[in-house]
Amino acid sequence: MHVTIAYVVGALLFGLGVYGVVRRRNAILVLMAVELMLNAVNLILVTADVSLRSALSGVPGEAWATPNSQAGSGGVFALFVIVLAAAEVGVGLAIVLQYYRMRKAVAIDEVPLAAGEERVDG
């Protein structure tokens, strides 16, 4: 498989996630779109790591840059993004559930942005 395919799939996933964030009104679906964007970034990070390692296979590595020749920096960054995504899901769902308990709705359009602000229909 050529690495361009993985970059294009990652870009399409990221674009689909951006569309989901911009277009959706439901907070749960917005969180799912953000997760899609984070997974697209993971795909691009791992693909970039693999393609750079294969392109630089004959180049001797510096000791400070790659202490272990088998460790991939793209994989490490992807693991960090996965941990960040898990924390984002936990905090985001807690906020959405608490808001639902208070207001009985999870539509983003109905969330007041300022303290004391009332929703205006019209």
Side-chain angles (χ1 to χ4, degrees), residues 75-115:
V76 171
F77 283 126
L79 183 64
F80 178 72
V81 170
I82 289 170
V83 169
L84 181 72
E88 178 258 335
V89 164
V91 172
L93 283 177
I95 291 170
V96 169
L97 285 174
Q98 185 64 29
Y99 187 77
Y100 179 75
R101 286 180 187 155
M102 291 171 48
R103 305 290 170 113
K104 300 294 184 212
V106 290
I108 294 177
D109 294 344
E110 298 175 4
V111 177
L113 298 178

Coordinates of all heavy atoms in Angstrom, one line a residue, residues 75-115:
G75 N 4.4 6.7 16.7 CA 3.6 5.9 17.5 C 3.5 6.4 18.9 O 2.5 6.3 19.6
V76 N 4.6 7.1 19.4 CA 4.5 7.7 20.7 C 3.6 8.9 20.7 O 2.8 9.0 21.7 CB 5.9 8.2 21.2 CG1 5.9 9.0 22.4 CG2 6.9 7.0 21.3
F77 N 3.6 9.7 19.7 CA 2.7 10.8 19.6 C 1.2 10.3 19.5 O 0.3 10.9 20.0 CB 3.0 11.7 18.4 CG 4.2 12.7 18.7 CD1 5.3 12.7 17.9 CD2 4.1 13.5 19.8 CE1 6.3 13.5 18.1 CE2 5.2 14.3 20.1 CZ 6.3 14.4 19.3
A78 N 1.0 9.2 18.7 CA -0.3 8.6 18.5 C -0.8 8.1 19.9 O -2.0 8.3 20.2 CB -0.3 7.5 17.5
L79 N 0.0 7.5 20.7 CA -0.4 7.1 22.0 C -0.8 8.2 22.9 O -1.7 8.2 23.6 CB 0.8 6.3 22.6 CG 0.5 5.7 24.0 CD1 -0.6 4.6 23.9 CD2 1.7 5.0 24.6
F80 N 0.0 9.3 22.8 CA -0.4 10.5 23.5 C -1.7 11.1 23.1 O -2.5 11.5 23.9 CB 0.7 11.6 23.3 CG 0.5 12.9 24.0 CD1 0.5 13.0 25.4 CD2 0.1 14.0 23.3 CE1 0.3 14.2 26.1 CE2 -0.2 15.2 24.0 CZ -0.1 15.3 25.3
V81 N -2.0 11.1 21.8 CA -3.3 11.6 21.3 C -4.4 10.6 21.8 O -5.5 11.1 22.1 CB -3.2 11.7 19.8 CG1 -4.6 12.0 19.2 CG2 -2.3 12.8 19.3
I82 N -4.2 9.3 21.8 CA -5.2 8.4 22.3 C -5.5 8.7 23.8 O -6.7 8.7 24.2 CB -4.7 6.9 22.1 CG1 -4.8 6.6 20.6 CG2 -5.6 6.0 22.9 CD1 -4.1 5.3 20.3
V83 N -4.5 8.9 24.6 CA -4.7 9.3 26.0 C -5.5 10.6 26.1 O -6.4 10.7 26.9 CB -3.4 9.3 26.8 CG1 -3.5 9.9 28.1 CG2 -2.7 8.0 26.8
L84 N -5.1 11.6 25.3 CA -5.8 12.9 25.3 C -7.3 12.7 24.9 O -8.2 13.3 25.4 CB -5.1 13.8 24.3 CG -5.7 15.2 24.2 CD1 -5.4 16.0 25.5 CD2 -5.1 15.9 23.0
A85 N -7.5 11.8 23.9 CA -8.9 11.6 23.4 C -9.7 10.9 24.5 O -10.9 11.2 24.7 CB -8.9 10.7 22.2
A86 N -9.1 10.0 25.3 CA -9.8 9.3 26.3 C -10.2 10.3 27.4 O -11.3 10.3 27.9 CB -9.0 8.2 26.9
A87 N -9.3 11.2 27.7 CA -9.6 12.3 28.7 C -10.7 13.2 28.2 O -11.6 13.6 29.0 CB -8.3 13.0 29.1
E88 N -10.6 13.5 26.9 CA -11.6 14.4 26.3 C -13.0 13.8 26.4 O -14.0 14.5 26.7 CB -11.2 14.8 24.9 CG -12.2 15.6 24.1 CD -13.0 14.8 23.2 OE1 -12.6 13.8 22.8 OE2 -14.1 15.3 22.9
V89 N -13.1 12.5 26.1 CA -14.4 11.8 26.1 C -14.9 11.8 27.6 O -16.1 12.1 27.8 CB -14.2 10.4 25.6 CG1 -15.4 9.5 26.0 CG2 -14.1 10.4 24.1
G90 N -14.1 11.5 28.5 CA -14.5 11.5 29.9 C -15.1 12.8 30.4 O -16.2 12.9 30.9
V91 N -14.3 13.9 30.2 CA -14.7 15.2 30.6 C -15.9 15.7 29.8 O -16.9 16.3 30.3 CB -13.5 16.2 30.5 CG1 -14.0 17.6 30.7 CG2 -12.5 15.8 31.5
G92 N -15.9 15.5 28.5 CA -17.0 16.0 27.6 C -18.3 15.3 27.9 O -19.3 15.9 28.0
L93 N -18.3 14.0 28.1 CA -19.5 13.3 28.4 C -20.0 13.7 29.8 O -21.2 13.7 30.0 CB -19.3 11.8 28.4 CG -19.3 11.2 26.9 CD1 -19.0 9.7 27.0 CD2 -20.6 11.5 26.2
A94 N -19.1 13.9 30.8 CA -19.6 14.4 32.1 C -20.3 15.7 32.0 O -21.3 15.9 32.6 CB -18.4 14.4 33.0
I95 N -19.7 16.6 31.2 CA -20.3 17.9 31.0 C -21.7 17.8 30.4 O -22.7 18.4 30.8 CB -19.4 18.9 30.3 CG1 -18.2 19.2 31.1 CG2 -20.1 20.1 29.8 CD1 -17.1 19.9 30.4
V96 N -21.8 17.0 29.3 CA -23.0 16.8 28.6 C -24.1 16.2 29.5 O -25.2 16.6 29.5 CB -22.8 16.0 27.3 CG1 -24.1 15.6 26.7 CG2 -22.0 16.8 26.3
L97 N -23.7 15.1 30.2 CA -24.7 14.5 31.1 C -25.2 15.4 32.2 O -26.3 15.4 32.6 CB -24.0 13.2 31.7 CG -23.9 12.0 30.8 CD1 -23.2 10.9 31.5 CD2 -25.3 11.6 30.3
Q98 N -24.3 16.2 32.8 CA -24.7 17.2 33.8 C -25.6 18.2 33.2 O -26.6 18.6 33.8 CB -23.5 17.8 34.4 CG -23.8 18.8 35.6 CD -24.4 18.0 36.7 OE1 -24.1 16.8 37.0 NE2 -25.3 18.7 37.5
Y99 N -25.3 18.7 32.0 CA -26.2 19.7 31.4 C -27.6 19.0 31.0 O -28.6 19.7 31.2 CB -25.6 20.2 30.1 CG -26.3 21.3 29.5 CD1 -26.3 22.6 30.0 CD2 -27.2 21.1 28.4 CE1 -27.1 23.6 29.4 CE2 -27.9 22.1 27.8 CZ -27.9 23.4 28.3 OH -28.6 24.4 27.8
Y100 N -27.6 17.8 30.6 CA -28.8 17.1 30.3 C -29.7 17.0 31.6 O -30.9 17.1 31.6 CB -28.6 15.7 29.7 CG -29.8 15.0 29.4 CD1 -30.6 15.4 28.3 CD2 -30.3 14.0 30.2 CE1 -31.8 14.7 28.0 CE2 -31.4 13.3 29.9 CZ -32.2 13.7 28.8 OH -33.4 13.0 28.6
R101 N -29.0 16.7 32.7 CA -29.8 16.5 34.0 C -30.4 17.9 34.4 O -31.5 17.9 35.0 CB -28.8 16.0 35.1 CG -28.5 14.6 35.0 CD -27.6 14.2 36.1 NE -27.1 12.8 35.9 CZ -26.0 12.3 36.3 NH1 -25.2 13.1 37.1 NH2 -25.6 11.1 36.1
M102 N -29.7 19.0 34.1 CA -30.2 20.3 34.5 C -31.3 20.8 33.5 O -32.3 21.3 33.9 CB -29.1 21.3 34.6 CG -28.1 21.0 35.7 SD -26.7 22.1 35.6 CE -27.3 23.7 35.4
R103 N -31.1 20.6 32.2 CA -31.9 21.3 31.2 C -32.8 20.3 30.4 O -33.6 20.7 29.6 CB -31.1 22.1 30.3 CG -30.2 23.1 30.9 CD -31.0 24.2 31.5 NE -30.2 25.1 32.3 CZ -29.9 26.3 32.1 NH1 -30.4 26.9 31.0 NH2 -29.2 27.0 32.9
K104 N -32.5 19.0 30.4 CA -33.2 18.0 29.6 C -33.1 18.2 28.1 O -34.0 17.9 27.4 CB -34.7 18.0 30.0 CG -35.0 17.7 31.4 CD -34.6 16.3 31.8 CE -35.0 15.9 33.2 NZ -34.1 15.1 33.9
A105 N -31.9 18.7 27.7 CA -31.6 18.8 26.3 C -30.1 18.8 26.1 O -29.3 19.2 27.0 CB -32.2 20.2 25.8
V106 N -29.7 18.3 25.0 CA -28.2 18.3 24.7 C -27.9 19.1 23.3 O -26.9 18.9 22.8 CB -27.7 16.9 24.6 CG1 -27.6 16.3 26.0 CG2 -28.4 16.0 23.6
A107 N -28.9 19.8 22.9 CA -28.7 20.6 21.7 C -27.7 21.8 22.0 O -27.9 22.5 22.9 CB -30.0 21.1 21.1
I108 N -26.8 22.0 21.1 CA -25.8 23.0 21.4 C -26.3 24.4 21.2 O -25.9 25.3 21.9 CB -24.6 22.8 20.4 CG1 -23.9 21.5 20.8 CG2 -23.6 23.9 20.5 CD1 -22.7 21.1 19.9
D109 N -27.4 24.5 20.3 CA -28.0 25.9 20.1 C -28.7 26.4 21.3 O -28.9 27.6 21.5 CB -29.0 25.8 19.0 CG -28.3 25.5 17.6 OD1 -27.1 25.7 17.6 OD2 -29.0 25.1 16.7
E110 N -29.1 25.5 22.2 CA -29.8 25.9 23.4 C -28.9 26.2 24.6 O -29.4 26.6 25.7 CB -30.8 24.8 23.8 CG -31.8 24.5 22.7 CD -32.7 23.4 23.1 OE1 -32.6 22.8 24.2 OE2 -33.6 23.0 22.2
V111 N -27.6 26.1 24.5 CA -26.7 26.3 25.6 C -26.4 27.8 25.7 O -25.9 28.4 24.8 CB -25.4 25.6 25.4 CG1 -24.4 25.9 26.5 CG2 -25.6 24.1 25.3
P112 N -26.8 28.4 26.9 CA -26.4 29.9 27.0 C -24.9 30.0 27.2 O -24.3 29.3 28.0 CB -27.2 30.3 28.3 CG -27.5 29.0 29.0 CD -27.5 27.9 28.0
L113 N -24.3 31.0 26.5 CA -22.9 31.2 26.6 C -22.5 32.1 27.7 O -21.3 32.1 28.2 CB -22.4 31.7 25.3 CG -22.6 30.7 24.1 CD1 -22.1 31.4 22.8 CD2 -21.9 29.4 24.3
A114 N -23.4 33.0 28.2 CA -23.0 33.9 29.3 C -23.9 33.6 30.5 O -25.0 33.1 30.3 CB -23.2 35.3 28.8
A115 N -23.4 34.0 31.7 CA -24.2 33.8 32.9 C -25.4 34.7 32.9 O -25.3 35.9 32.6 CB -23.3 34.0 34.1

